[in-house]
Amino acid sequence: LSLEELSFDDKGIVLLSKTPFAVLKPTAQSVFDQLHPSYVLLARPQVLDLLLTTTSAKEVKAAILTSPLEYRLLGTFSARTVSDPGITNFMSFGLNFLVNRGVPINSILLILMLPVIATILAFARQVIGIKAFGLLTPAMTTVSFLVMGLRYGLIVFTAILIAGTATRFVLRKLRLLYLPRMALVLTSVSLALLLLLGLGVVSVSDSASTLSFSIFPALILTILAEDFIAAQFKSGLRTALTVTVWTLALATVSYLIVSSELFRTLVLSYPEIILLAIPINIILGQWSGLRLTEYFRFREILRYGKTIP
């Protein structure tokens, strides 16, 4: 193919999505600004039948514009200029600048998700009363799930807990000091991850899909092993398992929220919304009422207190 044939000047881009156009428009506009096609059309998946009957960009555009189906046309006329940035959209322009300079959009998305994840965890602790391994461990667990996917993340998560617990029981009678003992635990966790990696390669012919998760998020999850084992030494196995289950539950809920297509598109289109995490956390920091779990925990006392004249 020649450079002229590879050019987008005489081509159009049709984005089919169920996402509201108001949410999708800024991201689609950035696609137009980077590739400079003839146009960008936002449409619903029902338009696919029309696309199969057309052969050129002009025919596609005409077919969609004359159809009764919902659409949104983007082009040079809808592009924002340098004079447009303001207090409500300055981050959008900064994000477009980074993307145009070659920064991976997934890396930007992970950075934007961190304040959202932290706010969800803070709300779960301060208002609901769920106990987890602090803020960093469930936040990093969520990020690892975003990179690896929930399926592989849960598999690695389970392997780490099994390896850490088994090593603790084996070393229990040796009376070792804390740091050397934790070093042995992390060694067993690393060997478990290596074994898991090997089993994936042997059991699945398509090794690329099995190894689709990055090893670095998997190693980040080993932080959980130290917290889990330390909690066992401090509070016992039952308490450690309880806190670990809540940590996993919070990480899973956070993953489901921030990995949804609508939410990801909304954050990329309007990254300024993550600034709402600042006032929300200020309010959470001044929370002085009972947590929801405490209403259940102290229900007898609260019921008795209401009967006192």
Side-chain angles (χ1 to χ4, degrees), residues 162-176:
I162 293 175
T165 303
T167 305
R168 173 183 176 270
F169 281 109
V170 170
L171 300 177
R172 186 168 51 181
K173 296 182 180 180
L174 295 182
R175 299 181 180 275
L176 299 177

Side-chain angles (χ1 to χ4, degrees), residues 2-219:
S2 64
L3 292 178
E4 289 76 12
E5 292 174 321
L6 293 175
S7 175
F8 281 89
D9 294 342
D10 59 344
K11 297 178 176 64
I13 297 178
V14 179
L15 299 179
L16 305 182
S17 177
K18 296 181 180 180
T19 304
F21 290 155
V23 174
L24 191 60
K25 179 182 175 181
T27 303
Q29 186 67 54
S30 66
V31 172
F32 176 86
D33 296 340
Q34 294 175 52
L35 300 179
H36 302 291
S38 177
Y39 61 83
V40 171
L41 262 172
L42 307 182
R44 299 306 182 196
Q46 293 82 354
V47 175
L48 187 59
D49 293 335
L50 291 176
L51 301 182
L52 297 177
T53 61
T54 55
T55 58
S56 67
K58 292 182 178 180
E59 291 180 2
V60 169
K61 182 179 179 181
I64 295 177
L65 295 184
T66 56
S67 72
L69 300 175
E70 185 182 8
Y71 68 88
R72 183 72 62 86
L73 178 64
L74 304 179
T76 305
F77 59 88
S78 60
R80 295 176 296 184
T81 62
V82 178
S83 60
D84 289 331
I87 191 65
T88 60
N89 61 0
F90 67 97
M91 290 187 64
S92 299
F93 282 87
L95 189 148
N96 289 336
F97 173 79
L98 293 176
V99 173
N100 292 334
R101 290 301 181 96
V103 179
I105 192 66
N106 287 335
S107 299
I108 297 175
L109 186 60
L110 287 177
I111 294 174
L112 292 175
M113 290 300 180
L114 280 177
V116 179
I117 295 171
T119 302
I120 294 173
L121 297 174
F123 177 86
R125 176 56 181 158
Q126 297 302 126
V127 179
I128 302 178
I130 297 177
K131 292 183 179 180
F133 289 125
L135 186 67
L136 180 62
T137 299
M140 291 299 100
T141 301
T142 304
V143 172
S144 299
F145 287 175
L146 287 173
V147 175
M148 294 187 295
L150 186 61
R151 177 186 175 186
Y152 289 117
L154 291 176
I155 292 175
V156 173
F157 190 99
T158 303
I160 288 174
L161 294 190
I162 293 175
T165 303
T167 305
R168 173 183 176 270
F169 281 109
V170 170
L171 300 177
R172 186 168 51 181
K173 296 182 180 180
L174 295 182
R175 299 181 180 275
L176 299 177
L177 296 177
Y178 178 76
L179 289 182
R181 182 169 48 191
M182 289 307 303
L184 290 173
V185 170
L186 293 180
T187 299
S188 69
V189 168
S190 298
L191 294 176
L193 291 177
L194 187 62
L195 178 62
L196 187 64
L197 208 59
L199 291 176
V201 173
V202 172
S203 60
V204 180
S205 58
D206 184 8
S207 60
S209 61
T210 306
L211 306 179
S212 61
F213 63 85
S214 172
I215 192 62
F216 291 105
L219 292 177

